[in-house]
Amino acid sequence: QKEVEQNSGPLSVPEGAIASLNCTYSDRGSQSFFWYRQYSGKSPELIMSIYSNGDKEDGRFTAQLNKASQYVSLLIRDSQPSDSATYLCAARTLNTDKLIFGTGTRLQVFP
Amino acid sequence: ETGVTQSPTHLIKTRGQQVTLRCSSQSGHNTVSWYQQALGQGPQFIFQYYREEENGRGNFPPRFSGLQFPNYSSELNVNALELDDSALYLCASSSPLAGVYEQYFGPGTRLTVT
């Protein structure tokens, strides 16, 4: 079982819709979670971090964490074609700074 | 504020050779982590340096080694290159103060081993 799992996609949504990206993790010791966006041929760019159960909003992005279900999600409202990229979910375990990444979900936003 | 920088951008090496990749951390960050990202995969943790000491290592053989300098910049060295070492090598810097653990990536070095 992979430590952080994501559906590889592609997830296709129309412009203006809400894109919902999901991630599950296996290590209950995981404390902090991060969403990165990676355009083809580029390095990952940090979008959101979340440490506590519940929702965290930043502009068009909302991260959701449910530690009991070991589930993290990222919602992108009013999706734009420029949001088309691979979204990586990462988990950090207690007392380490090591990030464990999923394989990423490819998002396609079509006009 | 200066972001994370890496050099070189691209590199082509032959199997069996050695390579050194360089990273300068973001201003104010004292911790550097290195990751390997194969095509279609998420980044894999290689190791981390904090205050010039290795502070955690992933499942990579000893031919992957590193250094951190007093100015917090870092090097990744790979000896006896293998074809499977072809990947994007990413450096990330962070400053884990007061429970903040965000890591910020540099642009990466694309290594091709032939």
Side-chain angles (χ1 to χ4, degrees):
Chain A
Q1 181 188 11
K2 292 184 179 178
E3 295 179 73
V4 176
E5 294 206 45
Q6 298 180 255
N7 188 317
S8 61
L11 172 66
S12 293
V13 300
E15 184 174 356
I18 296 175
S20 177
L21 303 159
N22 305 313
C23 169
T24 58
Y25 61 95
S26 59
D27 185 352
R28 286 195 173 275
S30 297
Q31 295 291 307
S32 316
F33 302 88
F34 307 87
W35 283 99
Y36 287 84
R37 176 175 63 197
Q38 186 172 27
Y39 293 111
S40 181
K42 301 295 186 182
S43 64
E45 173 192 8
L46 181 65
I47 299 174
M48 295 278 291
S49 60
I50 187 165
Y51 299 82
S52 304
N53 278 329
D55 295 359
K56 179 182 177 183
E57 186 174 320
D58 184 0
R60 296 187 296 114
F61 299 98
T62 298
Q64 300 174 317
L65 174 59
N66 184 326
K67 289 187 177 180
S69 300
Q70 297 176 248
Y71 179 89
V72 193
S73 65
L74 179 70
L75 301 178
I76 306 175
R77 289 181 298 282
D78 188 24
S79 295
Q80 300 297 309
S82 58
D83 294 326
S84 298
T86 295
Y87 289 79
L88 296 161
C89 172
R92 174 188 162 271
T93 54
L94 185 64
N95 295 327
T96 78
D97 271 343
K98 169 183 174 181
L99 294 183
I100 307 296
F101 283 86
T103 54
T105 298
R106 189 157 63 95
L107 172 66
Q108 295 178 335
V109 181
F110 55 92
Chain B
E1 185 177 272
T2 306
V4 182
T5 61
Q6 290 185 246
S7 63
T9 305
H10 296 89
L11 205 51
I12 299 175
K13 289 285 189 178
T14 302
R15 190 171 51 182
Q17 286 187 316
Q18 178 265 343
V19 68
T20 298
L21 310 181
R22 296 178 175 82
C23 169
S24 291
S25 61
Q26 183 170 315
S27 176
H29 287 183
N30 57 13
T31 301
V32 172
S33 304
W34 285 93
Y35 294 82
Q36 179 196 66
Q37 187 176 25
L39 204 59
Q41 301 297 314
Q44 299 291 313
F45 177 76
I46 302 175
F47 43 56
Q48 182 182 85
Y49 280 85
Y50 171 66
R51 291 187 174 181
E52 302 176 59
E53 296 287 331
E54 188 178 287
N55 181 41
R57 187 179 183 92
N59 294 326
F60 281 81
R63 59 189 185 84
F64 286 78
S65 63
L67 285 173
Q68 188 180 33
F69 300 99
N71 66 354
Y72 305 130
S73 66
S74 177
E75 287 183 353
L76 164 65
N77 299 291
V78 187
N79 293 322
L81 284 167
E82 301 177 358
L83 296 178
D84 284 349
D85 295 334
S86 295
L88 180 67
Y89 288 84
L90 297 161
C91 161
S93 76
S94 58
S95 184
L97 301 173
V100 177
Y101 298 100
E102 281 84 357
Q103 295 188 15
Y104 296 89
F105 285 94
T109 294
R110 173 75 61 188
L111 173 65
T112 302
V113 182
T114 61

